Amino acid sequence: MRILFIFLALMMWPLTASAQVPVPVEAPASSDADIETLVRILENDQTRAQLIERLQQTAGGEAPIEEPGNDLSIARQLAEYTRAVAEGTAATLRELGQLSVDLGQGIAGAGNADFDALRDAAIGVVLTGVALIGSFLFLRIVVRWLQKGIARRVAGRGWMLRIAGALGGAGIDAGSVLLAWGIGYVLALNVIGGRDGAMGINQSLLLNAFLFVEMTKMVVRSVLAPHAEPLRLLPINDSNAAYWSFWLGRVISLLGYAFMFVSPLVAANLSLATGGGIQLLAMVTAVIIGIIVVMQNKQPVRNQLAAWAHRRGDDNYGRFIMAAGQYWHMVAIAYLLALLVVWVTNPDHALPFMIGATIQTAIAILVGVLVVGFISRFVGIGLKLPDDIRQRLPLLEARLTTFVPTMMNIVRWVVVAAVLVAIAQAWAIFDFVGWISSEQGQGVAGSAISALLIVVACIVAYVVVASWVEYRLNTTINMPTAREKTLLNLFKNAFTVALAVFGLMLALGQIGVNIAPLLAGAGVIGLAIGFGAQKLVQDIITGIFIQFENVMNEGDVVEAAGKAGVVEKLTIRSVTIRDMSGTVHLIPFSSVDQVSNMVRGFSFYVAEFEVSRDSNIEEVKQAMRDAFAQVMETEHKDVILDDLDLQGLIAITPASMSLRARIKTLAGKQWGPGRLYSELVMRIFDDRGISTPTPRVSYIPGPSGGRLPAVGEPPFA
């Protein structure tokens, strides 16, 4: 909160400095002879007519000063501004030199002043001041007691009650100031002024200065509430509240009483230069106090801004805050010194301009801080959708969480840019209002807004279409088919690409970019791709026909390009297949010459069993039927569509026989029942003694009676 109070304190300096009253200026003595001559000229009709004619000729002969054309270019405005700054700097140096000379003359001439009149004025002012300050201090004791009572009543209550208590305390404080001011006026009129009830101008100056200063300090006390924490409108501790209340009160008192009371009093009774010197001394003192306050809070404000930047993270906005924390004190000191220079140079014209620019800057920064703070809090809290919407659209919240922070960051920088433009407008650095009112400005602004609306419309359209596709594919609400999954995902991808291309083209067209060469270049690039990337074209064309013919969809078990597995993703150019080992294969359609789909309509599990040659065929068939009967007693019966298709003997070898059976199931459901069926068949074979063929080696004795032939003897001799 130190940052806020330093900013408010800097805003108070020009406001209190503007409280000065015009110092009476002595009229130059007129020559009696010149006056008599002018009277004689006006009394004579002929000479009066000649004088009027001469004045008319003089007025008509002056060539009117032609205003240069309003050049609203930024370069021209910056040139004019820098020239004005240079001229103002030179004038400031001249004014400072002249002011030092006038101050020396005023102090030297003060010895010849009428000190008797000053003494009489001082006596009346002192008596009025004693009565005024005494009554005010007594009323302050009563006010503080009442405010503490209100604070005890609203402590721990809600914000509405605390705000009402703060307003009540401020009303009591303002009433005490007005009552003390009224008491001072009554005493100045009836006691100090004498029987005739006349009050001197000096007492009136004191009373008016008291009213302005104390009402301004009352506003500060009401906001900070240094002695009543429950009535404090800002979230700061007691030490900070007392610190800022002390310094702001001292600066307001210094400038208010110096400009509204002491300076006019001295100027009227001593000299104008001395009164001006008092104003200069008060202003310099106030600026020095401001610089001291800034340097005292240099490190705390830097630490606070660094903490804010750390919470923001390593982004552009965080780095901007970090840079502001490093150099904020230089900007504040430069502002105070500029305020002093402007006041010295031209208090009648430059100072009101600087006050107005300061107020506009304060409002712009305050509004910008509130908007940026709201955006940061919104982004920090996150976007939470209702439960029913999350159930219907599970990915919508994640999708919005991706887009919304990005959009909020863009809005944040737009707000920062708007604040900078408002500050430049306030200080006449850049006439944004005049530029935006011109034909060029309206064209640029209209193009930028149109492009922004197109981008926002494209983002909204993408979110709507993606959410609709997500809703149609949500298995908790709908039962999408494999064909729907494939086509909807392809539609979303194609829509996203088309939306991005057309949205970009339209946005570029709105900001003045000629998109005709871009379209022509895109055609040339497409032609080059058609010749140079024939495989890519073949991928796309084959993919289009595969989709038209509905050969495969996501979730199907297929075999393509020698790879078999489940289709996980299907685009217009390629298919992604995960095989039994979990390996993912990305297969472009140009390498696919045929597709084998294993889950269309229905499926068969083909079981082939090989038994020994001497087995009983009927017993083997019965064993296969019994195994199928056991399968039908399990949960797999729901996916089996027909009885066992026992095809019987299909092959005979000298050592074995092969039999085949098929189980008809729902599409893609054949592997579970099939594995169980094969397992049960092998168990039944083992239980019933049906053996599978095994290799046999037969030994046949030779003519030698089994004796091995000797070395060199023929084997069958």
Side-chain angles (χ1 to χ4, degrees):
M1 295 304 297
R2 287 180 177 267
I3 302 173
L4 178 60
F5 285 117
I6 289 175
F7 180 73
L8 293 175
L10 293 176
M11 296 304 104
M12 291 297 295
W13 252 268
L15 293 178
T16 52
S18 65
Q20 61 176 318
V21 295
V23 178
V25 181
E26 296 179 356
S30 301
S31 174
D32 295 338
D34 294 339
I35 295 176
E36 292 177 357
T37 302
L38 181 60
V39 169
R40 287 196 299 270
I41 291 174
L42 295 176
E43 288 178 347
N44 191 324
D45 295 338
Q46 183 178 0
T47 56
R48 184 173 66 250
Q50 292 176 356
L51 177 62
I52 293 173
E53 182 180 0
R54 184 176 180 181
L55 292 175
Q56 291 176 348
Q57 291 177 354
T58 303
E62 292 179 351
I65 300 175
E66 295 183 358
E67 295 279 343
N70 291 331
D71 187 359
L72 298 177
S73 64
I74 298 177
R76 177 62 180 270
Q77 294 185 29
L78 289 176
E80 294 290 340
Y81 186 78
T82 52
R83 186 183 67 178
V85 169
E87 294 176 352
T89 303
T92 299
L93 296 177
R94 290 194 299 270
E95 290 289 340
L96 287 174
Q98 185 63 33
L99 182 60
S100 60
V101 174
D102 294 341
L103 181 60
Q105 293 177 354
I107 295 174
N112 301 324
D114 188 359
F115 284 99
D116 293 334
L118 181 61
R119 184 186 65 250
D120 295 338
I123 292 173
V125 168
V126 168
L127 293 176
T128 304
V130 169
L132 184 64
I133 301 301
S135 60
F136 180 66
L137 292 177
F138 173 76
L139 292 174
R140 283 295 304 157
I141 296 174
V142 178
V143 168
R144 187 171 297 180
W145 177 75
L146 293 175
Q147 288 180 340
K148 288 184 177 180
I150 297 175
R152 286 192 297 269
R153 291 179 177 273
V154 301
R157 303 293 186 87
W159 276 104
M160 296 299 296
L161 191 59
R162 291 184 62 183
I163 292 175
L167 294 176
I172 295 174
D173 199 350
S176 67
V177 174
L178 293 175
L179 183 58
W181 179 70
I183 293 174
Y185 253 105
V186 171
L187 293 176
L189 288 172
N190 297 294
V191 178
I192 302 173
R195 295 180 179 178
D196 55 355
M199 181 177 63
I201 187 63
N202 300 316
Q203 288 90 334
S204 180
L205 289 173
L206 176 61
L207 291 169
N208 292 336
F210 168 82
L211 180 62
F212 175 81
V213 170
E214 295 303 328
M215 290 299 288
T216 306
K217 292 168 64 176
M218 181 273 301
V219 175
V220 175
R221 288 194 299 269
S222 300
V223 174
L224 298 178
H227 303 290
E229 190 274 335
L231 302 182
R232 193 172 302 148
L233 300 178
L234 298 176
I236 60 174
N237 54 34
D238 294 338
S239 61
N240 283 335
Y243 175 87
W244 290 106
S245 179
F246 174 83
W247 282 113
L248 290 176
R250 296 305 180 272
V251 172
I252 293 171
S253 299
L254 171 65
L255 295 178
Y257 285 115
F259 277 79
M260 298 187 68
F261 171 62
V262 178
S263 178
L265 179 64
V266 172
N269 294 278
L270 292 180
S271 67
L272 294 175
T274 306
I278 290 175
Q279 291 183 355
L280 177 62
L281 181 62
M283 196 66 183
V284 171
T285 304
V287 171
I288 293 175
I289 292 174
I291 294 174
I292 292 173
V293 171
V294 169
M295 296 307 297
Q296 286 179 349
N297 293 272
K298 171 184 174 182
Q299 196 60 39
V301 172
R302 179 177 295 173
N303 295 338
Q304 181 66 38
L305 291 175
W308 288 356
H310 181 71
R311 287 197 297 267
R312 283 291 313 152
D314 189 18
D315 58 356
N316 294 330
Y317 190 67
R319 288 191 289 269
F320 174 77
I321 296 177
M322 184 67 72
Q326 293 293 326
Y327 304 106
W328 77 270
H329 60 286
M330 298 181 183
V331 177
I333 293 174
Y335 173 81
L336 293 174
L337 295 177
L339 177 64
L340 177 62
V341 171
V342 167
W343 178 83
V344 171
T345 305
N346 191 0
D348 294 333
H349 298 89
L351 186 61
F353 166 77
M354 192 167 185
I355 293 171
T358 301
I359 295 175
Q360 295 178 32
T361 302
I363 295 174
I365 293 177
L366 181 61
V367 173
V369 169
L370 292 177
V371 174
V372 171
F374 173 77
I375 293 173
S376 300
R377 177 171 296 183
F378 178 78
V379 174
I381 293 175
L383 183 64
K384 300 295 182 183
L385 296 177
D387 294 336
D388 57 340
I389 297 180
R390 284 207 300 268
Q391 292 177 359
R392 291 174 176 269
L393 305 171
L395 299 179
L396 179 59
E397 184 173 320
R399 190 175 293 114
L400 292 178
T401 305
T402 302
F403 281 111
V404 170
T406 303
M407 295 301 298
M408 290 297 100
N409 286 330
I410 295 175
V411 172
R412 179 186 292 141
W413 282 109
V414 170
V415 171
V416 172
V419 171
L420 295 178
V421 169
I423 294 175
Q425 178 72 33
W427 293 92
I429 298 175
F430 172 59
D431 186 11
F432 178 78
V433 175
W435 177 78
I436 202 66
S437 301
S438 65
E439 183 177 355
Q440 178 185 4
Q442 291 178 358
V444 173
S447 300
I449 293 174
S450 299
L452 180 62
L453 291 177
I454 290 173
V455 173
V456 172
C458 291
I459 293 175
V460 172
Y462 169 76
V463 172
V464 170
V465 172
S467 300
W468 175 76
V469 172
E470 178 189 350
Y471 173 75
R472 292 296 305 271
L473 297 179
N474 191 350
T475 56
T476 60
I477 300 175
N478 304 313
M479 292 300 296
T481 62
R483 185 65 175 169
E484 286 180 329
K485 293 180 181 179
T486 303
L487 293 181
L488 287 175
N489 284 324
L490 288 175
F491 168 73
K492 185 179 74 172
N493 295 334
F495 179 80
T496 302
V497 173
L499 187 66
V501 172
F502 285 107
L504 180 62
M505 290 295 181
L506 291 176
L508 291 176
Q510 288 297 322
I511 62 177
V513 177
N514 188 6
I515 63 174
L518 295 178
L519 295 176
V524 174
I525 293 174
L527 186 61
I529 291 175
F531 284 107
Q534 298 183 17
K535 282 290 186 182
L536 178 62
V537 177
Q538 184 180 356
D539 291 341
I540 296 175
I541 294 175
T542 306
I544 292 174
F545 280 102
I546 286 177
Q547 294 306 317
F548 281 160
E549 295 171 0
N550 193 17
V551 176
M552 57 181 167
N553 295 304
E554 290 185 7
D556 290 355
V557 179
V558 300
E559 181 180 356
K563 303 296 181 181
V566 180
V567 177
E568 288 195 345
K569 185 178 180 181
L570 192 63
T571 66
I572 200 68
R573 193 193 71 85
S574 63
V575 59
T576 302
I577 296 177
R578 185 181 296 272
D579 62 15
M580 292 294 295
S581 64
T583 305
V584 177
H585 304 278
L586 179 64
I587 303 173
F589 285 129
S590 59
S591 61
V592 177
D593 51 4
Q594 69 176 13
V595 177
S596 301
N597 196 320
M598 307 175 190
V599 294
R600 283 301 173 89
F602 58 88
S603 299
F604 278 107
Y605 180 79
V606 180
E608 293 184 359
F609 302 99
E610 188 176 6
V611 297
S612 61
R613 178 69 177 79
D614 55 357
S615 299
N616 190 321
I617 295 179
E618 292 301 326
E619 291 181 359
V620 174
K621 291 182 177 180
Q622 187 60 41
M624 295 172 66
R625 294 188 187 96
D626 294 341
F628 180 76
Q630 294 182 22
V631 172
M632 293 299 292
E633 295 176 358
T634 64
E635 68 276 4
H636 295 291
K637 65 179 181 179
D638 296 331
V639 300
I640 297 176
L641 301 178
D642 204 349
D643 292 335
L644 179 67
D645 182 15
L646 184 58
Q647 297 180 357
L649 186 65
I650 60 172
I652 300 175
T653 65
S656 65
M657 302 182 297
S658 297
L659 291 88
R660 177 187 295 164
R662 295 194 309 173
I663 301 176
K664 187 176 183 181
T665 65
L666 295 175
K669 304 296 183 181
Q670 69 271 32
W671 290 284
R675 286 190 293 267
L676 179 60
Y677 177 71
S678 298
E679 181 181 351
L680 293 175
V681 167
M682 296 308 297
R683 288 180 183 178
I684 294 175
F685 281 179
D686 292 339
D687 293 340
R688 299 181 182 181
I690 300 174
S691 60
T692 58
T694 56
R696 293 183 180 183
V697 178
S698 299
Y699 174 72
I700 302 175
S704 60
R707 181 179 59 86
L708 293 175
V711 176
E713 182 181 358
F716 301 103

